[in-house]
Each structure stands twice: as structure tokens, then as C-alpha cells.
Amino acid sequence: MRVAAIDCGTNSIRLLIADVDGERLSDVSRRMEIVRLGEGVDRTGRLAPEAIERTRQALLGYAAEIAELGIDRVRMVATSASRDAKNAGEFRDMVRSVLRVDPEVITGNEEAALSFVGAVHGLTEDPPFLAVDIGGGSTEFVTGVAAVEAASSVNIGCVRMTERHKFADPPTAKQIAAAEKDITAQVDKALAAVPGRLAHTMVGLAGSVTTVAALALDLPGYDAGRIHHATISYDQVAKVTANLLAATVAERRALPVMHPGRADVIGAGALILRTIMERAEKHDVVASEHDILDGIAYGLV
């Protein structure tokens, strides 16, 4: 069966078209656009018209590819920004007009469960797992072996932290300290809800984690094949985080693995990852290119 999964988060919108045969998933197409749907949501509580329009333009391209490739089933989920926004109805109406399907605005725990299924499928490391999905507006923590046993979602993400703490270019020591205090409180809240410290393997998902992994591996360009299931040590994460927070946006954007739309928020994303590793007492993290999109695709069959 050929399916299409779309994940619309605070920072990016992504498409996976895949052929699913039992437990086997074969990629046909993976796409990602930085649309920053959640720009300003933490401050205003609303989705900005220009952010909705950026997302609409990306969806038009996705809809064309879905029509061309002959899809049996389509599911779109929308996460942190569209959960929080007072005008989420405008967003839903836009999606319906472009895709002819309703976006499912899922809860943080539903997001966590889908991410866990996608992340641990095919993983050879020892369970139990702590899967951490660092998004633009929220971060999900999930523990389990083959299925979710505990989950928690907290409102820390690379876009939300960058905006909330008004990061300068580069951020000041005072701004970083304030963000770290905020992140630590939320991470401790999540770890009180899920037994992350008892997990044998930490798995990190989404663009902040994979970008940090690419920098730690010193890749000449973004290479999903080399990043997927790479093990990155805490010391490597700490070094990359320090370098990113000390760099300007222009300097980050010049890094060969950096997506241009991620350069202004990657410092906060790396800080979240480093803090989680510290508070969960993890010496390394396995980076995963498979995440909520894969979970959505499996769920469609």
C-alpha cells in the first residue's frame, strides 16, 4: 500500500510518501520545508497570516506530488503550534482547501506515541528506550520497549526557546542561562512523568538532533544515511552546543550540514538536547532519521 504522511510542526512541515508491506516501509519520497508556522505563537497565542501562507505554499507542492504518485491513504497531523493557537480553525480550513483532508491536531502524548513507533522500529540497540523528539515548540519524552509505556510532552522547543528568551546574535551568557533554567525545569518535569533515567538507550529525533549529530560527525554535507543510528557522545553534544551558541546566525548558516531555515534556532535546539542528556544521566544518544512520519505511515496500514 502506498501512503502519504504529513507532519506539520512549529518550525517545519514534512512529507513522507512510502510503500508499506507488513513491517517493511520503503521510502518513495521525503521532503521538508521550513515554514515557521509557530512564529510568534508563544507571545501572541495566534498563528500569523504570513506563517499560514508559507505553510499553504508548501502544502500545494506536497498535494501535487501526492496526486502524481497515486496514494492510497493520506494522513496529516499538526502538532505544537496548531495546538496552542487561538485561530487554529483558520489553519484547518486552509489545509482542507489544499489537501482535501482534515489535519488532525494531536495531543502531545499522541505525538509522542507516533514518534516512538517510528524511532525504535529496526533499532538494534538494547531496550528499554528513551525517545526524545525535540521540535520547534515542544519536546516529547517516551519510554518503552516495543510499545509506549510512558509519555510526556513539555513546551520547550528550538523556536519557542529562541523567541521566549529573545536570543541575540549570538545569544548572551545571560540569555543562555535563562533558557537553560527554563529548559531544566521542564525536562525535570518530564522525567518525573517518564522513567527516562532507567532507559538503557536514548534515541534522539528531529532536525535539532540530526543537525547536532551531523556537526559532531564533521560531515562535509548533510548525509541522512550516515546520521541515521549514529551514536553521539555527551562530550560531542556539549562541544557542538558551545560552538553553536557562540556563533552568529551567518556563521551557522555557512556550516555545510546546516539547513538555512534552522540556523537561527539550532543553538536553542542543541541546548535542549544537552540539558536532557545531563538531567537523564545519559552518556550518549542514538540519532534517528525515522520519527513521527514513519509512525504515521505505519498507522495508515
Side-chain angles (χ1 to χ4, degrees), residues 272-290:
I272 293 168
L273 175 60
R274 192 201 74 190
T275 304
I276 292 171
M277 294 180 75
E278 289 171 355
R279 304 306 291 179
E281 301 170 2
K282 295 292 177 274
H283 299 294
D284 49 45
V285 58
V286 178
S288 177
E289 287 280 347
H290 293 178

Side-chain angles (χ1 to χ4, degrees), residues 81-103:
S82 47
R83 275 199 304 266
D84 301 340
K86 297 172 185 174
N87 61 334
E90 297 174 25
F91 168 75
R92 289 193 294 271
D93 290 343
M94 179 276 291
V95 172
R96 193 180 302 114
S97 71
V98 174
L99 279 183
R100 301 291 187 263
V101 299
D102 287 320

Side-chain angles (χ1 to χ4, degrees), residues 240-296:
V240 169
T241 301
N243 290 341
L244 288 171
L245 289 171
T248 64
V249 171
E251 289 168 338
R252 296 177 200 160
R253 194 171 283 126
L255 296 169
V257 302
M258 188 68 62
H259 188 291
R262 202 177 297 284
D264 60 333
V265 297
I266 186 61
L271 184 62
I272 293 168
L273 175 60
R274 192 201 74 190
T275 304
I276 292 171
M277 294 180 75
E278 289 171 355
R279 304 306 291 179
E281 301 170 2
K282 295 292 177 274
H283 299 294
D284 49 45
V285 58
V286 178
S288 177
E289 287 280 347
H290 293 178
D291 51 31
I292 189 172
L293 279 177
D294 302 77
I296 296 167

Side-chain angles (χ1 to χ4, degrees), residues 12-215:
S12 64
I13 186 167
R14 300 178 304 137
L15 167 71
L16 168 63
I17 296 175
D19 291 327
V20 185
D21 181 8
E23 291 296 302
R24 186 167 168 269
L25 185 151
S26 302
D27 288 13
V28 176
S29 176
R30 281 185 192 259
R31 292 176 58 179
M32 187 271 287
E33 312 288 340
I34 300 289
V35 294
R36 200 63 59 84
L37 177 64
E39 184 175 18
V41 164
D42 193 57
R43 176 177 51 84
T44 67
R46 299 180 63 84
L47 297 172
E50 56 270 27
I52 294 176
E53 176 59 21
R54 288 193 298 267
T55 307
R56 189 182 75 86
Q57 291 297 325
L59 277 175
L60 286 170
Y62 291 179
E65 187 165 5
I66 287 168
E68 179 184 346
L69 292 175
I71 307 303
D72 297 302
R73 293 180 183 173
V74 179
R75 184 184 182 192
M76 176 177 172
V77 303
T79 52
S80 180
S82 47
R83 275 199 304 266
D84 301 340
K86 297 172 185 174
N87 61 334
E90 297 174 25
F91 168 75
R92 289 193 294 271
D93 290 343
M94 179 276 291
V95 172
R96 193 180 302 114
S97 71
V98 174
L99 279 183
R100 301 291 187 263
V101 299
D102 287 320
E104 298 177 45
V105 181
I106 60 175
T107 67
N109 284 348
E110 289 173 317
E111 183 178 355
L114 288 168
S115 295
F116 185 82
V117 169
V120 306
H121 192 86
L123 200 62
T124 58
E125 279 75 9
D126 293 334
F129 302 109
L130 166 63
V132 176
D133 186 347
I134 301 172
S138 65
T139 295
E140 283 66 52
F141 295 71
V142 195
T143 54
V145 177
V148 175
E149 295 174 8
S152 179
S153 178
V154 290
N155 280 337
I156 50 172
C158 58
V159 175
R160 195 183 296 268
M161 290 298 97
T162 300
E163 290 185 352
R164 179 180 294 174
H165 296 285
K166 298 179 173 61
F167 274 16
D169 186 19
T172 66
K174 184 176 180 180
Q175 290 166 344
I176 294 168
E180 187 172 7
K181 182 178 179 181
D182 191 359
I183 293 164
T184 298
Q186 293 300 310
V187 170
D188 287 350
K189 175 183 174 183
L191 291 174
V194 302
R197 294 185 180 92
L198 300 179
H200 189 276
T201 302
M202 177 173 163
V203 187
L205 323 179
S208 288
V209 175
T210 57
T211 301
V212 168
L215 291 168

